[in-house]
Amino acid sequence: MTVLGIGLDLVTISEFAEQLERSGTTMVRESFTAGERRYCQSKPTDSARHYAARWAAKEAVIKAWASTRFARSPQIGDNPYPLIEVVNDAWGRPSIKLHGLAAEFLPRVRVHLSLTHDGDTAAAMVILEDPGELADIIEGRSATQ
């Protein structure tokens, strides 16, 4: 296993909520996938809290990704946010699913994610891992597959 990059981001939920509520804003539609929008809108409490945590996750992925590109073009594109999706498993545990260019440029990379929100702050921590040969062996795959 090789750590390729680490990213951390903090978001002030109340400021994020104000941005989401601005008249004419397209941020939710342009930055979050349909699945993320469904998840955040389905929460009985403040949806801005859930959007803010997902925004922090997207920013943390971008920061970790950028660290893998040091002294080279970032290759992220103009709007990388919908390419980075926070998904939840059946037990609510969050993970990252990459789409488009993000998936192309990080094809074998595992994205480890931790989300939190407390009070007026949401935060995300991301580690990009190249699993390499050892991960293949641990998971029972041949290294030559």
Side-chain angles (χ1 to χ4, degrees):
M1 172 186 96
T2 302
V3 172
L4 300 175
I6 299 171
L8 172 70
D9 195 63
L10 301 171
V11 175
T12 303
I13 297 168
S14 59
E15 290 176 9
F16 196 80
E18 286 176 17
Q19 188 172 1
L20 294 177
E21 293 169 4
R22 284 191 189 131
S23 178
T25 186
T26 59
M27 181 182 191
V28 169
R29 184 173 32 88
E30 292 179 1
S31 300
F32 295 94
T33 66
E36 288 170 318
R37 293 190 303 267
R38 274 192 305 275
Y39 177 85
C40 292
Q41 294 301 327
S42 75
K43 293 301 175 185
T45 59
D46 182 21
S47 66
R49 170 178 298 282
H50 302 284
Y51 276 119
R54 276 148 185 73
W55 182 263
K58 292 169 184 273
E59 285 286 321
V61 169
I62 291 168
K63 290 172 182 178
W65 185 358
S67 71
T68 71
R69 304 289 306 159
F70 187 76
R72 296 179 287 163
S73 170
Q75 297 182 319
I76 293 176
D78 292 337
N79 184 13
Y81 300 103
L83 303 179
I84 304 162
E85 180 178 17
V86 178
V87 295
N88 293 84
D89 70 8
W91 295 272
R93 294 176 296 214
S95 184
I96 295 289
K97 183 175 181 180
L98 300 175
H99 303 282
L101 284 176
E104 284 180 41
F105 288 116
L106 300 171
R108 283 193 42 142
V109 170
R110 288 189 183 151
V111 182
H112 300 274
L113 171 65
S114 180
L115 294 178
T116 190
H117 35 69
D118 185 38
D120 198 32
T121 303
M125 170 72 177
V126 164
I127 298 173
L128 299 182
E129 172 198 350
D130 178 358
E133 195 173 302
L134 181 59
D136 289 337
I137 293 167
I138 290 169
E139 293 178 8
R141 296 187 304 259
S142 167
T144 58
Q145 282 182 328

